[in-house]
């Protein structure tokens, strides 16, 4: 084999950064990466909480919305707070709807999404006819 041939050659390939589930992201960086709707929900959650996010001793927090690959199943405006306890390494996830209500489990969020889908299906479509 000549130089540049074979499967180990990287000539001509573009290296692109892929976010891994294990990649650590800072709290501040996670807030900056939120979408417009995600930031609105974040501000509502911050106003409702007695202690701001990421101020719990011995824990590390980050927030994500549907723009983060792992949480693209979320609806727009929903947030996930990942809180890792440093001593045990345990990861807790808290889900927030656009009004700031907290859910502890993914299945609860999926139930809310199912109910939203049923409500949308019940509504009759509106047809608007525009005359020239």
């Amino acid at each position: 084999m000549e130089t540049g041939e074979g499967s180990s050659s990287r000539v001509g390939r573009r290296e692109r950064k892929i976010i891994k589930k294990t990649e650590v992201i800072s709290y501040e960086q996670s807030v900056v990466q939120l979408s417009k709707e995600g930031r609105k929900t974040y501000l509502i959650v911050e106003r409702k909480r007695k202690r701001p996010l990421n101020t719990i001793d011995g824990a590390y927090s980050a927030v994500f919305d549907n723009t983060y690959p792992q949480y693209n199943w979320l609806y727009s405006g929903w947030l996930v707070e990942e809180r890792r306890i440093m001593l045990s390494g345990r990861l807790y996830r808290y889900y927030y709807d656009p009004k700031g209500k907290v859910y502890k489990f993914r299945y609860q969020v999926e139930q809310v999404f199912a109910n939203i889908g049923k409500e949308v299906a019940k509504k009759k479509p509106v047809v608007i006819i525009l005359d020239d």
Side-chain angles (χ1 to χ4, degrees):
M1 251 187 223
E2 292 182 25
T3 306
E5 292 181 7
S7 61
S8 63
S9 174
R10 293 185 185 229
V11 177
R13 285 193 211 170
R14 289 186 181 175
E15 297 282 329
R16 64 177 199 194
K17 186 174 180 178
I18 298 172
I19 299 173
K20 298 177 184 175
K21 288 183 181 181
T22 57
E23 185 175 334
V24 176
I25 184 169
S26 73
Y27 175 75
E28 293 79 14
Q29 189 179 17
S30 71
V31 172
V32 169
Q33 292 181 355
L34 293 175
S35 65
K36 185 178 178 181
E37 295 83 9
R39 284 192 198 114
K40 287 179 185 178
T41 305
Y42 170 76
L43 292 173
I44 291 168
V45 170
E46 283 291 304
R47 275 189 241 124
K48 284 186 169 189
R49 290 179 61 96
K50 293 177 184 173
R51 295 177 68 180
L53 294 173
N54 204 37
T55 60
I56 298 167
D57 294 333
Y60 161 85
S61 293
V63 290
F64 305 100
D65 62 2
N66 64 341
T67 59
Y68 194 74
Q70 186 177 353
Y71 298 111
N72 62 3
W73 58 272
L74 286 172
Y75 282 0
S76 182
W78 283 70
L79 291 181
V80 177
E81 174 195 3
E82 286 188 352
R83 189 182 304 164
R84 184 167 303 278
I85 307 302
M86 294 300 184
L87 287 176
S88 65
R90 174 106 168 111
L91 178 67
Y92 294 91
R93 288 188 179 97
Y94 299 95
Y95 302 89
Y96 299 94
D97 69 9
K99 294 180 182 177
K101 183 176 178 184
V102 65
Y103 301 88
K104 287 188 174 184
F105 303 104
R106 180 176 174 161
Y107 78 86
Q108 293 173 318
V109 176
E110 290 172 343
Q111 286 176 343
V112 171
F113 289 173
N115 292 339
I116 291 171
K118 289 177 187 175
E119 291 299 317
V120 171
K122 286 181 185 178
K123 293 182 181 179
K124 294 181 180 179
V126 177
V127 178
I128 301 173
I129 300 173
L130 299 174
D131 290 333
D132 289 328

